Amino acid sequence: MNVERNRAAVLRVYEWGFNQGRLDVVDDCIAPGAGHEHALAADEPDLATHVRNVILMLRAAMPDLYVTIEDSVAEGDRVVVRFRTTGTHSGSPLFGVRARGKAVDAAGFHALQFDDKGRAVRDWVMPGVDEIVRQISAA
């Protein structure tokens, strides 16, 4: 396994996908049919579809969305990152909450497993959704 290649793939998805809105990076970095372990993705067929949908949803709700990787650890076929999502909820509704210009600053964790081609084949994520909803719902 090439742990640095795997780590670079994760960083590209966050930087190019989430921060720049480039959805093409998803197919470059995630294997077709990759599985995902995420309660919010139960109706999505695979990890790539889920990631594209989350990028589109977050960028529509927070046009100034920025995700920072604060830590990353790579070993064998796994990469784990601790990330921070920031932005202003000034766009479309998010998790059923209409935009009111609330600032978002929430931490999350993402673990991914990679194949021998350097593409994610499975993930586990705790994205900080509860904290985001709390912040955008506050009076």
Side-chain angles (χ1 to χ4, degrees):
M1 284 283 132
N2 185 328
V3 295
E4 289 310 314
R5 177 187 61 196
N6 297 347
R7 184 192 322 256
V10 175
L11 298 178
R12 280 181 34 220
V13 169
Y14 279 97
E15 180 58 36
W16 296 2
F18 285 91
N19 293 341
Q20 298 176 25
R22 290 185 47 193
L23 298 179
D24 59 309
V25 72
V26 173
D27 291 326
D28 292 343
C29 298
I30 300 174
H36 55 94
E37 304 292 331
H38 190 292
L40 295 177
D43 61 341
E44 296 167 324
D46 58 34
L47 177 57
T49 300
H50 173 68
V51 171
R52 277 191 294 274
N53 287 343
V54 170
I55 290 169
L56 291 170
M57 174 187 66
L58 291 177
R59 290 183 59 79
M62 297 183 287
D64 62 345
L65 172 72
Y66 196 78
V67 181
T68 304
I69 302 297
E70 296 188 328
D71 290 305
S72 67
V73 178
E75 183 177 322
D77 66 348
R78 310 286 168 110
V79 177
V80 178
V81 296
R82 180 175 63 89
F83 62 90
R84 180 162 302 284
T85 302
T86 59
T88 307
H89 185 207
S90 59
S92 46
L94 184 60
F95 305 120
V97 178
R98 68 175 176 78
R100 295 183 292 154
K102 297 281 187 169
V104 169
D105 185 347
F109 290 89
H110 199 173
L112 297 107
Q113 180 179 16
F114 285 80
D115 63 15
D116 59 359
K117 296 177 183 170
R119 297 176 305 173
V121 294
R122 188 169 181 198
D123 84 325
W124 304 265
V125 64
M126 297 199 61
V129 170
D130 292 341
E131 182 61 18
I132 291 171
V133 171
R134 185 189 70 72
Q135 290 175 20
I136 63 177
S137 298

